[in-house]
Amino acid sequence: MNLFETIHASEHEQVVFCHNKSAGLKAIIAIHNTTLGPALGGLRMWPYATEEEALNDVLRLSRGMTYKAAVAGLNLGGGKSVIIGDPSKDKSEALFRALGRFIESLNGRYITAEDVGIDVNDMEYVFQETDNVVGVHQVHGGSGDPSPFTAYGTLQGIKASLQRKFGDEEVGRYSYAVQGLGHVGYELVKLLRNENAKVFVTDINQESVDRCVELGCEAVSADDIYQVDADVFSPCALGAVVNENTLPQFKFKIICGASNNQLANDECGDELENRGLIYAPDYAVNAGGLMNVSIEFEGYNKERATRMMRTIYYNVSKIFQIADRDGIPSWKAADRMAEERIRAIGQLKLPFMGRAHRFPGRERGNH
Ligand code: NAD
């Protein structure tokens, strides 16, 4: 691999290789774009088979964060970090504190958070070395579980999609197929049932299905969810669920859910458009988690978080407007919206006075 060519191709500002022999740390921090603000993105720990695989993952994920923050209207850029290692056996205090020191050395250009393979205890160690962490424990002024907010944000995306398809946003008039009834899916089901909507549900975990059936939902098998006769399909489990096999089965009119990377490829996004389905781009719909942690910069409060989630309605609506304006599918319009915002702010050529984030209300110490 030609390192600089790879970084150049993915348009990254900075890629930091972090190594500490005594802690056994091998990590990469990727800062994709800081035009809008400091690069925020989670820390992932994964037993990557090769260093190249780790680099590709961190480059891809950090780029995605730039787009997500830009469409969400946040003053944040995109970043990500990965530790090469097995989360079940390679974790230690020294490992996370070493990484924390590297993050601190970036002086606020990169802000980390929890991601795959990392838990709140690991973040406690990182937090001992740097303030540039969000999603810390609530006793430190952190924002806590983002899932109810992500679900509420997903509901805003659904309303914007209903408005586009049917010209109204009366959630209870329509039917839904929710795939995955975990942290986000279950909260979404509750919101939909509060509106008396007809909801079909599926999950590979029977207990999760049962508690939704108790709320009045109809259970279907994991394979049958794609052919349910419902207006809205809401993927809240896995990625790549809109693919060559599932697409021909769809009777849905709208796809809007919280899962990441719902489209198996760009062609599937085009095909949805050809078939007249409304696709609400996943990263605009599920930005609730990112919005929620971003509030920690100014002192977390739930009311602000709820208000911010409502902006997802406008963000998704704007994507549809751009799709109409430029005659392009919605998945492409989302990227365009991000790029236009970054370009517009990047061209200001006015001094950035830097509204410092101070994390009011956050304290270190035992809990
Ligand atoms: P979760 O792990 O709590 O729930 C996922 C659920 O999907 C589980 O109940 C699991 O049993 C079920 N599932 C797995 N495979 C399935 C299958 N084949 N068919 C049906 N169900 C299946 O995860 P979550 O926090 O609810 O997140 C759901 C999705 O939303 C994920 O893709 C996640 O990346 C994305 N997301 C979550 C948040 C958040 O705030 N939690 C924010 C942004 C994006």
Side-chain angles (χ1 to χ4, degrees):
M1 169 189 273
N2 185 326
L3 207 50
F4 279 102
E5 251 173 45
T6 306
I7 295 168
H8 176 77
S10 57
E11 300 180 313
H12 278 71
E13 285 180 15
Q14 189 177 9
V15 181
V16 184
F17 291 83
C18 314
H19 175 247
N20 186 277
K21 199 172 170 184
S22 71
L25 177 73
K26 279 188 197 169
I28 312 173
I29 302 171
I31 297 177
H32 178 251
N33 188 302
T34 58
T35 305
L36 299 175
L40 192 148
L43 164 65
R44 183 169 284 200
M45 184 167 184
W46 194 254
Y48 294 102
T50 63
E51 290 167 6
E52 190 169 344
E53 199 184 295
L55 179 65
N56 285 335
D57 208 28
V58 78
L59 293 179
R60 177 180 65 84
L61 294 166
S62 52
R63 193 169 198 277
M65 290 306 295
T66 296
Y67 281 77
K68 189 168 190 161
V71 163
L74 298 170
N75 293 322
L76 291 170
K80 202 87 185 182
S81 50
V82 296
I83 295 178
I84 302 172
D86 184 340
S88 67
K89 55 181 201 310
D90 296 333
K91 287 185 177 180
S92 68
E93 175 183 353
L95 182 85
F96 290 107
R97 291 189 62 171
L99 182 72
R101 290 189 187 186
F102 279 106
I103 293 171
E104 180 65 8
S105 77
L106 292 168
N107 208 14
R109 274 173 56 70
Y110 170 66
I111 296 162
T112 197
E114 233 176 278
D115 198 70
V116 177
I118 300 294
D119 63 37
V120 75
N121 300 316
D122 306 329
M123 292 321 268
E124 287 280 310
Y125 291 130
V126 177
F127 187 46
Q128 283 181 32
E129 300 293 342
T130 179
D131 258 336
N132 295 311
V133 184
V134 287
V136 293
H137 200 286
Q138 275 169 301
V139 295
H140 300 307
S143 50
D145 179 12
S147 307
F149 293 97
T150 303
Y152 185 65
T154 303
L155 184 70
Q156 308 313 308
I158 287 174
K159 285 185 180 178
S161 305
L162 292 175
Q163 182 61 249
R164 178 166 174 85
K165 185 71 188 175
F166 301 113
D168 73 71
E169 42 200 80
E170 287 177 47
V171 172
R173 282 183 62 182
Y174 301 98
S175 51
Y176 302 82
V178 181
Q179 179 188 45
L181 308 167
H183 290 95
V184 179
Y186 180 58
E187 294 296 328
L188 178 65
V189 163
K190 285 198 281 188
L191 293 170
L192 296 171
R193 287 296 299 142
N194 281 347
E195 303 283 335
N196 273 321
K198 168 86 189 156
V199 185
F200 299 90
V201 291
T202 194
D203 198 291
I204 49 171
N205 178 328
Q206 190 56 40
E207 272 174 38
S208 305
V209 174
D210 291 345
R211 62 180 184 167
C212 289
V213 170
E214 276 167 30
L215 295 175
C217 299
E218 187 173 323
V220 298
S221 77
D223 289 338
D224 289 344
I225 195 75
Y226 303 110
Q227 22 179 315
V228 164
D229 195 0
D231 298 306
V232 181
F233 175 41
S234 192
C236 295
L238 315 158
V241 291
V242 178
N243 57 48
E244 284 82 3
N245 295 327
T246 60
L247 231 157
Q249 304 177 44
F250 289 175
K251 298 190 199 87
F252 312 121
K253 300 183 177 65
I254 292 169
I255 315 274
C256 180
S259 292
N260 285 310
N261 305 317
Q262 290 166 25
L263 305 178
N265 49 50
D266 295 347
E267 290 70 37
C268 288
D270 294 343
E271 184 57 20
L272 286 177
E273 202 79 15
N274 294 340
R275 288 170 180 249
L277 272 91
I278 304 290
Y279 170 63
D282 45 17
Y283 71 80
V285 171
N286 71 17
L290 176 62
M291 289 178 169
N292 198 50
V293 289
S294 77
I295 296 171
E296 287 182 24
F297 297 133
E298 289 158 25
Y300 186 71
N301 110 35
K302 272 191 167 184
E303 288 67 41
R304 263 201 85 206
T306 307
R307 246 185 297 133
M308 202 184 249
M309 296 311 134
R310 295 201 192 108
T311 63
I312 291 177
Y313 177 95
Y314 300 101
N315 299 340
V316 173
S317 304
K318 186 159 180 209
I319 290 169
F320 294 148
Q321 283 164 19
I322 292 174
D324 288 343
R325 183 195 72 190
D326 296 353
I328 54 174
S330 58
W331 68 265
K332 210 178 257 180
D335 290 358
R336 196 161 290 183
M337 177 168 158
E339 285 157 8
E340 285 177 3
R341 180 164 177 246
I342 292 167
R343 200 175 315 120
I345 304 302
Q347 282 171 351
L348 285 179
K349 295 200 170 72
L350 289 167
F352 175 59
M353 302 309 285
R355 280 185 64 198
H357 48 272
R358 288 184 299 276
F359 302 108
R362 276 194 3 184
E363 286 167 27
R364 284 202 181 71
N366 296 330
H367 61 276

